[in-house]
Amino acid sequence: ACVVTPLFDHSQEVTAWHWRLTVDAEHASAQPFIQMVQSLEAKLFAGQSLDRCLTQICEGLVHTFGFPFVWMATVRKGYGAQLRAHAETAGCDWESHGSLWWSEISGQEGLLRACGDLDGFLLSRCTPLSGELAWCPPVFHLHETLCVSLARQGDLSGVLVVCSARPHVFDATVSEWLRALGHQIERLIAYGKQLEQWRLHSAAICSVKDAVCVTDPQGRME
């Protein structure tokens, strides 16, 4: 942001201009946050769990940008919805209300559709009418929700849900930024699934007493 003020002499002639530049806090924190998300791939490789990485993203959205409640869930075919990560401000009592709220919405068709919706995101109010999907515990008294669908990774799809205590927070700029963040999360989940497969194969091979090797169709050792 910039405020420019003319400076006058005694005859009211402009002799200089004073430029006052201030850092936009929202944009200043956005780039380091994206870099933090990208660095989580290295933490996955070092052995940190995917759920812990997703929790760090939720915590970053709460503490860096001030969203009061953020959560992520995935749906695997045949297994239903799983809450993978969440973070909230001190004013949101997760211990008292979180588990009950999740048990009420985890099987709802609206959540399953949101996780499988590849068209982007959904904006809705956080205080739904009776019978609608509650994107956060109603006792949190939040106002607005943005749901970013995470593209399907094999049989796994998901959703990032960001809640606001104020209306009209999710303008075009914020919405597009969260959509871009969703793409970073998709990459992270895909990488985490790949590492899980490698570690599972490694554990299976290491548990066999006989010598085992893997070859390509021509017999060359891989």
Side-chain angles (χ1 to χ4, degrees), residues 142-157:
L142 302 180
H143 197 285
E144 208 169 45
T145 305
L146 187 70
C147 308
V148 182
S149 294
L150 305 176
R152 188 175 298 277
Q153 310 285 343
D155 63 344
L156 189 72
S157 57

Side-chain angles (χ1 to χ4, degrees), residues 94-151:
W94 172 265
E95 295 299 326
S96 299
H97 307 288
S99 298
L100 177 61
W101 160 78
W102 176 251
S103 66
E104 290 176 347
I105 74 161
S106 58
Q108 290 193 27
E109 278 297 319
L111 175 60
L112 303 182
R113 284 197 303 270
C115 288
D117 182 10
L118 301 182
D119 292 334
F121 57 80
L122 167 70
L123 183 67
S124 66
R125 290 182 61 84
C126 272
T127 51
L129 300 174
S130 176
E132 293 184 357
L133 180 62
W135 294 107
C136 72
V139 295
F140 287 2
H141 301 297
L142 302 180
H143 197 285
E144 208 169 45
T145 305
L146 187 70
C147 308
V148 182
S149 294
L150 305 176

